[in-house]
Amino acid sequence: MLTLLEQLDKGTQWRLTGGIHPPQMKHLSNSSPIGRLPLASEFLLPVPQVGDSAVLEVKVGDRVLKGQALTRGLSAMYLAVHAPTSGIIRAIEQRPSNHPSALPVLTCVLEADGQDQAIDFDQQDIAALSREQILGRIRQAGIAGLGGAMFPAHIKLNPASEIELLLINGVECEPYISADDRLMREHAKEILDGIEIVHGLLNPKRVIIAIEDNKPEAVQAMQQALDSCQLPKGSIRITVIPTKYPSGGEKQLIQIITGQEVPSGAIPAQLGIVVHNVGTAFAIREAVCLGKPLIERVVTVTGGIIPKPGNYWVPLGTPIAHILEQSGFTASGQDTVIIGGPMMGYTLPLIKVPLLKGSNCVLVPSASEISPPAEEKACIRCGECAQVCPASLLPQQLYWHSKAEEYDKASAYNLRDCIECGCCSYVCPSDIPLVEYYRIAKAAIKHSHEEKQLAEQAKQRFDARLKRLEAEKLAREAKAKAAADKRRAAMGSGEKDAVAEAMARIKAKKAAEASVAATESPVEKAADTADSAVIQPKADKRKSDVAAAIARAKAKKAAAQGTVPAKEVADTTTNNAAESTTPGSDKKAQIAAAIARAKAKKAAAASGLSETDTGKTQDVQARATQATTDDNGGEQAQTNEASQAAGDDSKQARIAAAVARAKAKKAAASSESAESIAADDNDGEQTQAAEVNQSSSQAAKQATSDDSKQARIAAAVAKAKAKKAAAAAESAESIAADDNDGEQTQAAEVNQSSSQAAKQAAGDDSKQARIAAAVAKAKAKKAAASKSAPATDVEGGAAQGAEVNQVASQATKQAAGDDSKQARIAAAVAKAKAKKAAAASEQPQDNGAANTPVSAESRPPSESTTATEPTSAESTPPDDSKQARIARAVAKAKQKAKEKALSAQEKD
């Protein structure tokens, strides 16, 4: 079996699949030599690659010469654009393109100056140039495939695979076109020179020049030039092939000459074959040998209505309108102008478009030469299109999918292998423009592919950015680490020791602070907590209560030692209690506080103070009233203390026992102190009884708004107070006759009141029971203290009143301790109270006699009452209307009590 090269030497040819035989119509233009047309006044030079693979080298207003490069390439696919003549760049703007859509494209508008002044072309001897230099000159000349595809020639001439066969295409199968025919006739030697240059670049084993048998003059001219060329005689030959359309196609010509079929999606170079047009070979010779760029080409101007058809050397960028005008044609709106042949060409919507490198023909057919556009009819599935398809495709399937815009299915039928030869449209009996559908589908697929490529490029850029940022981050970290290592290495041993010692001191200091905090006494911790609670009002409740207890203990101790006035002690205690509470205490706390104050007043009245102590008792009443009419701070403190006691358990039993012992001591003390009470204590006691009565009434009124349980408690308290007041009135009448009996009666009243309070507390919940027990203990201690100072001054009396309140608060505070910490606090408070009681018992009775102010006995009862009322009024906040009403009610009760006392004295 013969090899491919042996078959080529013998001239073996293979039959073309499909194809047609349309009328040639070449005689209209091939009978005359190639001529030249006059230069146009304006040239349009498209630069579509600018911004993609090229940049502009000129700007508006620049004067350029013939052959001067207007762009500079940036990529391998770059095609240079040169000025076709000398002139001025008047604009760089969007102009209609030489395309069926006439879409605008960036264009340099060159205004010709008519001088046609050219640059100095660099002529070189081919033998003195290297392969890279030859390729560089071809690239700089902007040479593209002149057969119509306009593929960059320097890409084809630098294949990656070894080339065995070089095909020079001189077939020119398209009807009407004769540009290559006339070029081979007139410039055969130049074409062979170009073939020699290509042969030197590719070094193929065989070179075949293919020409159709309808060009005998061209075959003869090329054969004569071949005989005188310097190529090896056995490596190059001319092959004449039968005339059939589209045998001039690249893949079709390969099939005819070699019998091989280029696979779908492949290129001929993968088979070791390269195909070049005869016009491209001529342009390569001009660029390499003469240094002349591709600025003009041979164009066939033909058609039935062209007065002077023929082939012309036309500068690139010449408007089509100028070519037709110089050919003697006057354009009208009804004429059809086709770029290319009747089979593969396209109709121009505008004729003011430029001539391109791939434009080999301008056809203006007459009405007899081309039928008017026929109405498209339905496909009848005749199959003629499939029989004539040179690419062996299924045109009817491609048509259906393209029309339905099912481009993925059209691609599956190898749409991109269609060469758009037009054979299917030529034979279609339904007059369907099949090629037009395929072109639209190809454009859509190309656009989609470009978008995917852009998206992929964007993704690659994004990934590269992430990698760059990560690398920069790692570099910064490495740099910082290196700097730190450098600093550590440069640091001396002394500096390292200093840093270590500093760290050790910090750790030791923290350990010392922790040990001090662990060994701190409970009372000191409580004091610190109280101080922080005063500074930070929003501290937790337990800390506030501890602070209040400590403050009261300090006030009580100071009062016992006589270093602080009684009034200041009482105010301090009240203020501390107010500060230790939170603003959100409820009405129950207010009622409990009112009950505690009423019991304290009752105990003071029952203690049997002398007439000189009336002022002292009034001070106590004023402070109690002030606490009642003050803001809810003090009452809320009592509630907080009571709420702390709610969680206690077995400790309550011990508290109850202590309350019982306190009651017994109070009864004994009251019987001894009754001997020193004056006969005129009746007025003071009646007034105090009235005040107690009034306080009970106010507490009862407040309790009515609470729940039913609190109402019952308030009612029980009121009954106890009423009984106590009645007993106090009876004892006042009998004091003058028998002081001893009066003291016993008062002691009984105190006992009875304590019993009533205990009974009420026992019936209530555990919270009320603890409050009542604390109040009873406070009363007992107050009665014991009263026996040692029956005639103290007003200041001493005020201190005792403060002590009563303080004892009650301390007793409640002791009951609130539910953990070991609270137990230690209660113990500290108890020690403070014991010290205070001892100090009070050692004070002489006449210590405050000199400072005793005028007693209630030395002025009228009305004055005494009036002196007490302002004190209550002054302590009442103006914004607390409820407390104001309580104060007014207390004042009225005092007045009535005085009046009753006066009437009782008159009767006696």
Side-chain angles (χ1 to χ4, degrees):
M1 184 177 180
L2 297 176
T3 63
L4 176 61
L5 296 179
E6 293 175 345
Q7 291 176 351
L8 292 176
D9 294 339
K10 288 180 63 175
T12 305
Q13 298 180 14
W14 281 262
R15 180 176 176 272
L16 174 65
T17 301
I20 57 175
H21 294 85
Q24 294 298 307
M25 301 300 292
K26 293 181 182 290
H27 65 279
L28 295 175
S29 58
N30 65 357
S31 59
S32 60
I34 302 174
R36 283 189 178 274
L37 296 177
L39 291 175
S41 61
E42 184 181 72
F43 289 83
L44 305 175
L45 304 172
V47 285
Q49 292 183 326
V50 171
D52 182 16
S53 59
V55 292
L56 277 172
E57 290 287 299
V58 296
K59 59 182 182 296
V60 177
D62 290 350
R63 186 179 186 273
V64 296
L65 301 179
K66 181 179 180 180
Q68 180 179 341
L70 304 181
T71 60
R72 176 168 53 86
L74 299 176
S75 68
M77 295 298 294
Y78 161 71
L79 268 178
V81 179
H82 300 81
T85 187
S86 61
I88 306 297
I89 302 296
R90 290 301 180 188
I92 301 176
E93 59 187 11
Q94 299 286 333
R95 290 291 186 93
S97 62
N98 186 345
H99 190 267
S101 63
L103 292 173
V105 64
L106 186 64
T107 304
C108 290
V109 180
L110 174 62
E111 182 181 336
D113 57 8
Q115 300 179 10
D116 199 28
Q117 183 179 358
I119 63 173
D120 294 333
F121 299 121
D122 183 18
Q123 299 183 10
Q124 292 286 342
D125 183 7
I126 186 66
L129 298 175
S130 64
R131 183 177 186 276
E132 288 74 16
Q133 289 177 333
I134 294 173
L135 288 174
R137 292 174 73 88
I138 293 172
R139 182 176 184 270
Q140 292 172 3
I143 298 175
L146 300 183
M150 293 190 297
F151 191 81
H154 63 277
I155 301 296
K156 270 190 173 184
L157 295 175
N158 190 24
S161 57
E162 183 180 358
I163 301 302
E164 294 184 353
L165 176 64
L166 172 62
L167 283 177
I168 303 299
N169 187 355
V171 176
E172 198 174 42
C173 61
E174 182 87 14
Y176 285 94
I177 301 176
S178 60
D180 291 345
D181 183 13
R182 291 308 308 181
L183 186 64
M184 287 187 290
R185 291 186 194 183
E186 300 179 19
H187 299 279
K189 183 180 184 304
E190 289 82 357
I191 294 174
L192 262 298
D193 291 342
I195 293 174
E196 289 181 7
I197 296 173
V198 175
H199 182 275
L201 292 174
L202 298 177
N203 194 21
K205 296 179 180 180
R206 295 289 184 275
V207 178
I208 302 296
I209 302 173
I211 304 174
E212 271 187 335
D213 56 6
N214 61 353
K215 303 176 182 64
E217 297 85 354
V219 173
Q220 183 179 356
M222 291 297 295
Q223 188 63 48
Q224 292 177 356
L226 180 60
D227 293 339
S228 61
C229 75
Q230 299 178 359
L231 291 174
K233 298 301 181 180
S235 63
I236 183 170
R237 63 173 303 197
I238 296 174
T239 300
V240 179
I241 63 174
T243 299
K244 190 177 184 180
Y245 179 81
S247 58
E250 184 179 57
K251 293 182 178 180
Q252 286 69 38
L253 182 60
I254 292 173
Q255 184 179 2
I256 292 172
I257 298 299
T258 65
Q260 297 180 0
E261 184 175 347
V262 179
S264 175
I267 59 176
Q270 294 176 344
L271 299 178
I273 303 173
V274 172
V275 181
H276 274 293
N277 185 265
V278 292
T280 305
F282 177 84
I284 290 173
R285 184 258 179 188
E286 292 287 304
V288 175
C289 297
L290 304 178
K292 185 179 179 180
L294 181 60
I295 56 177
E296 61 182 1
R297 69 158 296 156
V298 177
V299 179
T300 301
V301 182
T302 185
I305 59 175
I306 295 294
K308 296 186 294 183
N311 294 281
Y312 302 94
W313 286 103
V314 181
L316 300 178
T318 302
I320 301 297
H322 175 76
I323 297 174
L324 295 176
E325 182 182 351
Q326 296 300 320
S327 300
F329 173 74
T330 301
S332 64
Q334 302 298 327
D335 297 325
T336 300
V337 179
I338 300 173
I339 298 297
M343 302 300 295
M344 298 184 68
Y346 53 87
T347 303
L348 286 178
L350 300 173
I351 60 174
K352 291 185 178 181
V353 295
L355 181 75
L356 303 179
K357 295 179 180 181
S359 302
N360 57 357
C361 178
V362 178
L363 173 64
V364 185
S366 63
S368 60
E369 293 176 318
I370 185 171
S371 61
E375 182 182 359
E376 180 181 339
K377 295 178 284 292
C379 176
I380 61 175
R381 299 173 183 263
C382 62
E384 290 291 333
C385 56
Q387 293 179 8
V388 300
C389 179
S392 301
L393 302 177
L394 296 175
Q396 70 274 19
Q397 297 292 336
L398 296 175
Y399 159 67
W400 292 332
H401 294 312
S402 298
K403 186 176 182 178
E405 298 183 359
E406 297 173 347
Y407 301 132
D408 53 342
K409 294 181 179 179
S411 298
Y413 281 94
N414 301 315
L415 175 63
R416 63 179 179 176
D417 290 337
C418 174
I419 62 173
E420 302 178 15
C421 62
C423 293
C424 53
S425 299
Y426 183 82
V427 300
C428 181
S430 298
D431 297 322
I432 300 174
L434 297 172
V435 177
E436 299 300 326
Y437 282 107
Y438 303 155
R439 286 175 177 169
I440 294 173
K442 282 183 177 181
I445 293 172
K446 181 181 178 181
H447 180 69
S448 176
H449 181 66
E450 289 176 352
E451 287 184 345
K452 291 180 179 179
Q453 284 185 338
L454 292 175
E456 182 63 25
Q457 292 174 2
K459 183 178 182 299
Q460 292 176 359
R461 289 195 302 270
F462 180 75
D463 294 339
R465 177 179 177 272
L466 293 180
K467 292 180 180 178
R468 187 183 73 253
L469 294 177
E470 184 66 21
E472 291 176 356
K473 180 181 178 182
L474 294 177
R476 288 194 302 269
E477 292 177 354
K479 185 177 179 180
K481 184 178 180 181
D485 294 341
K486 184 177 180 181
R487 287 194 300 270
R488 283 194 293 269
M491 185 182 296
S493 60
E495 295 178 352
K496 294 180 180 179
D497 295 340
V499 172
E501 290 175 0
M503 296 298 296
R505 286 196 298 271
I506 293 173
K507 293 181 179 179
K509 185 177 179 181
K510 291 183 178 180
E513 291 178 353
S515 61
V516 169
T519 58
E520 189 180 5
S521 63
V523 176
E524 291 176 351
K525 290 183 180 180
D528 293 339
T529 306
D531 293 339
S532 62
V534 173
I535 296 172
Q536 300 176 357
K538 292 185 178 181
D540 58 2
K541 178 180 174 183
R542 177 174 294 178
K543 293 181 179 180
S544 299
D545 296 339
V546 171
I550 296 298
R552 288 194 295 272
K554 291 179 180 179
K556 185 166 128 179
K557 181 177 180 181
Q561 294 176 357
T563 58
V564 181
K567 189 176 187 302
E568 293 180 4
V569 172
D571 293 342
T572 303
T573 304
T574 304
N575 293 334
N576 290 336
E579 290 176 358
S580 64
T581 58
T582 57
S585 299
D586 53 7
K587 188 177 290 185
K588 293 181 179 181
Q590 298 174 7
I591 296 172
I595 293 173
R597 287 194 297 273
K599 292 179 179 180
K601 290 180 181 180
K602 182 267 297 179
S607 63
L609 298 177
S610 62
E611 292 181 358
T612 60
D613 294 336
T614 302
K616 173 181 63 179
T617 305
Q618 290 177 353
D619 288 341
V620 174
Q621 292 173 355
R623 284 190 293 274
T625 305
Q626 181 179 1
T628 304
T629 58
D630 200 356
D631 56 4
N632 294 333
E635 294 175 356
Q636 291 169 356
Q638 297 286 345
T639 304
N640 289 334
E641 294 172 2
S643 62
Q644 289 180 358
D648 206 353
D649 47 6
S650 62
K651 191 181 288 185
Q652 298 303 323
R654 295 192 296 272
I655 294 174
V659 169
R661 290 194 298 270
K663 289 181 181 180
K665 291 181 180 179
K666 182 265 303 177
S670 61
S671 61
E672 294 175 359
S673 62
E675 297 176 357
S676 61
I677 296 176
D680 54 353
D681 282 343
N682 188 23
D683 294 342
E685 290 179 357
Q686 289 180 352
T687 302
Q688 289 185 2
E691 289 174 355
V692 172
N693 236 350
Q694 184 66 20
S695 299
S696 301
S697 301
Q698 293 297 334
K701 288 180 181 179
Q702 291 177 358
T704 56
S705 62
D706 203 347
D707 53 275
S708 59
K709 189 173 184 179
Q710 297 298 331
R712 291 193 296 272
I713 294 172
V717 171
K719 290 178 181 180
K721 291 180 179 179
K723 291 180 180 181
K724 182 269 302 179
E730 294 175 359
S731 63
E733 294 177 357
S734 60
I735 283 173
D738 191 356
D739 291 340
N740 190 23
D741 293 340
E743 290 299 322
Q744 292 178 355
T745 303
Q746 286 182 359
E749 289 173 357
V750 172
N751 249 342
Q752 184 178 2
S753 299
S754 300
S755 301
Q756 292 294 336
K759 289 179 181 180
Q760 291 175 4
D764 201 357
D765 54 3
S766 60
K767 181 177 178 179
Q768 298 297 332
R770 288 190 293 272
I771 293 172
V775 170
K777 183 183 289 186
K779 291 178 183 179
K781 291 185 178 181
K782 181 270 301 177
S786 63
K787 74 172 183 176
S788 60
T792 57
D793 57 336
V794 175
E795 184 177 351
Q800 287 183 359
E803 289 172 3
V804 172
N805 283 336
Q806 185 68 21
V807 171
S809 302
Q810 294 296 334
T812 308
K813 188 65 181 180
Q814 289 177 359
D818 56 353
D819 53 3
S820 60
K821 185 175 180 179
Q822 297 298 329
R824 291 193 297 271
I825 293 171
V829 172
K831 291 180 182 180
K833 289 193 287 186
K835 292 181 181 179
K836 183 270 303 179
S841 63
E842 292 174 0
Q843 290 179 359
Q845 295 182 0
D846 57 350
N847 189 21
N851 296 328
T852 303
V854 180
S855 63
E857 186 181 6
S858 62
R859 57 176 178 262
S862 59
E863 292 180 2
S864 177
T865 305
T866 306
T868 305
E869 292 174 357
T871 303
S872 299
E874 289 174 0
S875 63
T876 303
D879 58 347
D880 196 341
S881 58
K882 185 173 182 180
Q883 301 298 333
R885 293 195 297 272
I886 294 173
R888 289 196 295 271
V890 170
K892 290 179 181 180
K894 291 178 181 180
Q895 184 63 26
K896 291 181 180 180
K898 291 294 183 180
E899 292 176 357
K900 290 181 180 179
L902 290 175
S903 61
Q905 289 178 0
E906 291 175 357
K907 291 180 180 179
D908 295 336

